[in-house]
Amino acid sequence: MFWLQRDNVYALPIVHYNMEMAAEVCVAYHHLKPDCVAVELAETMQLQLLHAASRLPDLSIVTAYTQTLEPLYYLCEPCDPAFEALRCGLENQKDSYCIDLDVDQYPKFREAIPDPYAIRRIGLKEYYEIYCRIRAENKHPIIALDKDREMHMARKLKEL
C-alpha cells in the first residue's frame, strides 16, 4: 500500500477513469479507515456527484454547464478512483466531499504516464516514482490554473 501523508491527511496519487487506481483507493480506504473523504472533483457539483456515487455500480452521467452554457459531462463509473473513494465513504457513512475548484476551460494536453496496468506488477509507489521522473524529464508546464486549484483544495483540506 502506498499513499502520501502530511499530518492526518492522506493522499493517493490517481489517474482518473482507471480500474487499477480505483482498486488501490478501495484497499487504502479499508486500511486507513478515514474520518472523511475528499476528492479532486468540482466542489460546485458535490450534490450531483455524491448522488451519482451512491448509485454505483450503476453508471451515471452528470451534466453541468459552463458560464457560456456549453455542456460539461462527468462520467460517474466504478472504474474512476475519485468515484470509488466517494462510494467507499458513503457506504461507510463517512462525510464525503468534492473539493476542487470549478473550472470551465481547463487546457487540454496529453501527459506521458506509464501504463496504469503496471500497478498490479510494480505497485503504486514505484508507479508514482516513475510518473514523477517522467514529469520532471518532460518539464510539465505548471499553469496558473493548476496553482489556483491546488490552493483551493489545500484550503478545503485544512477546513476539513
Side-chain angles (χ1 to χ4, degrees):
M1 282 178 278
F2 171 72
W3 51 77
L4 305 169
Q5 181 180 358
R6 174 90 185 236
D7 300 324
N8 63 341
V9 176
Y10 298 84
L12 270 70
I14 66 161
V15 174
H16 286 283
Y17 302 110
N18 181 274
M19 180 183 65
E20 290 78 16
M21 296 284 183
E24 292 290 323
V25 165
C26 187
V27 169
Y29 180 89
H30 291 294
H31 180 80
L32 294 170
K33 298 179 176 45
D35 295 331
C36 69
V37 172
V39 298
E40 180 194 35
L41 292 172
E43 177 182 22
T44 57
M45 299 291 299
Q46 180 169 296
L47 290 177
Q48 296 93 321
L49 297 173
L50 285 172
H51 177 70
S54 74
R55 297 185 67 246
L56 291 171
D58 291 336
L59 304 180
S60 298
I61 295 177
V62 174
T63 307
Y65 295 91
T66 67
Q67 292 177 358
T68 59
L69 300 179
E70 295 290 320
L72 297 171
Y73 303 102
Y74 289 81
L75 177 59
C76 310
E77 63 169 319
C79 289
D80 185 281
F83 286 104
E84 178 62 13
L86 291 175
R87 184 196 63 76
C88 287
L90 292 170
E91 280 187 356
N92 291 283
Q93 290 84 46
K94 299 294 180 182
D95 291 337
S96 299
Y97 303 93
C98 299
I99 61 167
D100 202 352
L101 190 61
D102 191 353
V103 175
D104 275 356
Q105 299 296 327
Y106 191 80
K108 292 183 180 178
F109 59 89
R110 293 187 67 76
E111 191 169 33
I113 60 170
D115 181 352
Y117 184 73
I119 293 168
R120 305 291 353 129
R121 287 267 213 202
I122 64 175
L124 184 56
K125 183 178 191 303
E126 189 169 337
Y127 180 90
Y128 178 69
E129 290 167 355
I130 292 168
Y131 165 78
C132 289
R133 281 196 306 267
I134 291 170
R135 187 172 184 171
E137 290 167 5
N138 290 335
K139 307 275 191 267
H140 175 72
I142 305 259
I143 58 175
L145 189 53
D146 284 334
K147 292 246 186 232
D148 291 345
R149 290 178 57 230
E150 290 165 6
M151 290 303 294
H152 182 83
M153 288 186 278
R155 276 192 301 276
K156 289 307 211 178
L157 287 172
K158 192 171 183 178
E159 289 172 12
L160 294 176

